[in-house]
Amino acid sequence: MPPSPGTQRSWWRSPMRERAHQRRLFRDRPTAVAAVATSALLTVLEITDAFTPAAPDDEVRDQHTSVWFSAAMATAITGSIITLRVNRPIPQHPRTWWAGLGLVWNGAIVNRLARRQLGANYRSRITVVPDHQVIRTGLYRHARHPMYSGSTLICIGIATTLTAPASALWSLPILSLIHRIQVEEAALRAALGSEYAHYREGRARLIPGIW
């Protein structure tokens, strides 16, 4: 018995719908909204950091760590974009996707809170500012570099949302942050002496109780 016209239309439509579904970048609307909102959040963070004003008396001791971090981020982002376009629709693993986004947003909160507590000391590059003060309150009671703790959590979160090999690329910004911490601590020890040495005692660099 030949299929009815309605059955024929359904037979032709299903493969077309399947191909359209595979071409979609996101699996559903909530995923798309979450991805766009997270991308906008991270873009705002970068823009606000980039336009932080500097003072004429600032002593910049960055040693190109900002350049290395930017290069690491660019590499990780490029690899992620390629992976997401190949492995569409997103997410391939919904549970790890949403868990990763949760880490990103929590990392952003830690990063911004730490920056706010740093106050006038903050610069986008490693800098010793006039009348530089050691901040001991807020998140700085528990870690010496909580802004970088937040950034590390963001990188881990993004890596969690992705599949290999792009997820491994997000270790590059973390490694660049570790190098930046070493340069920054050397600059602060040289500029602040015993005050910073005393502050370092009993406080982890990045992760309380670990490192």
Side-chain angles (χ1 to χ4, degrees), residues 93-161:
H93 307 288
R95 289 185 179 179
T96 56
W97 165 268
W98 291 107
L101 290 187
L103 292 175
V104 170
W105 281 81
N106 278 281
I109 292 172
V110 171
N111 181 278
R112 289 301 96 172
L113 183 58
R115 177 181 168 175
R116 181 179 179 84
Q117 293 169 352
L118 198 57
N121 284 356
Y122 176 75
R123 299 290 188 273
S124 58
R125 295 187 295 172
I126 296 175
T127 303
V128 177
V129 303
D131 300 322
H132 201 113
Q133 297 179 349
V134 176
I135 308 299
R136 296 181 171 87
T137 58
L139 296 176
Y140 290 87
R141 290 183 302 172
H142 310 289
R144 305 201 295 266
H145 304 279
M147 275 195 68
Y148 303 152
S149 302
S151 298
T152 300
L153 197 58
I154 289 172
C155 292
I156 294 173
I158 296 174
T160 303
T161 66

Side-chain angles (χ1 to χ4, degrees), residues 31-206:
T31 300
V33 171
V36 171
T38 303
S39 299
L41 170 71
L42 299 179
T43 301
V44 169
L45 295 186
E46 290 299 318
I47 292 175
T48 54
D49 284 347
F51 287 97
T52 302
D57 296 334
D58 285 352
E59 296 181 30
V60 179
R61 304 184 183 185
D62 194 73
Q63 296 186 23
H64 307 295
T65 62
S66 297
V67 175
W68 284 111
F69 180 72
S70 297
M73 287 291 292
T75 301
I77 291 171
T78 301
S80 300
I81 292 173
I82 294 172
T83 298
L84 291 174
R85 291 187 64 84
V86 170
N87 294 330
R88 64 178 66 184
I90 305 166
Q92 294 292 311
H93 307 288
R95 289 185 179 179
T96 56
W97 165 268
W98 291 107
L101 290 187
L103 292 175
V104 170
W105 281 81
N106 278 281
I109 292 172
V110 171
N111 181 278
R112 289 301 96 172
L113 183 58
R115 177 181 168 175
R116 181 179 179 84
Q117 293 169 352
L118 198 57
N121 284 356
Y122 176 75
R123 299 290 188 273
S124 58
R125 295 187 295 172
I126 296 175
T127 303
V128 177
V129 303
D131 300 322
H132 201 113
Q133 297 179 349
V134 176
I135 308 299
R136 296 181 171 87
T137 58
L139 296 176
Y140 290 87
R141 290 183 302 172
H142 310 289
R144 305 201 295 266
H145 304 279
M147 275 195 68
Y148 303 152
S149 302
S151 298
T152 300
L153 197 58
I154 289 172
C155 292
I156 294 173
I158 296 174
T160 303
T161 66
L162 301 170
T163 56
S167 57
L169 292 176
W170 286 94
S171 64
L172 297 178
I174 296 175
L175 292 175
S176 72
L177 283 176
I178 292 174
H179 172 62
R180 183 181 174 94
I181 287 173
Q182 295 170 341
V183 173
E184 184 168 336
E185 296 224 320
L188 292 174
R189 287 197 303 269
L192 304 177
S194 60
E195 183 182 7
Y196 189 72
H198 179 70
Y199 168 72
R200 293 176 70 236
E201 296 177 359
R203 289 181 177 86
R205 299 175 183 87
L206 203 64

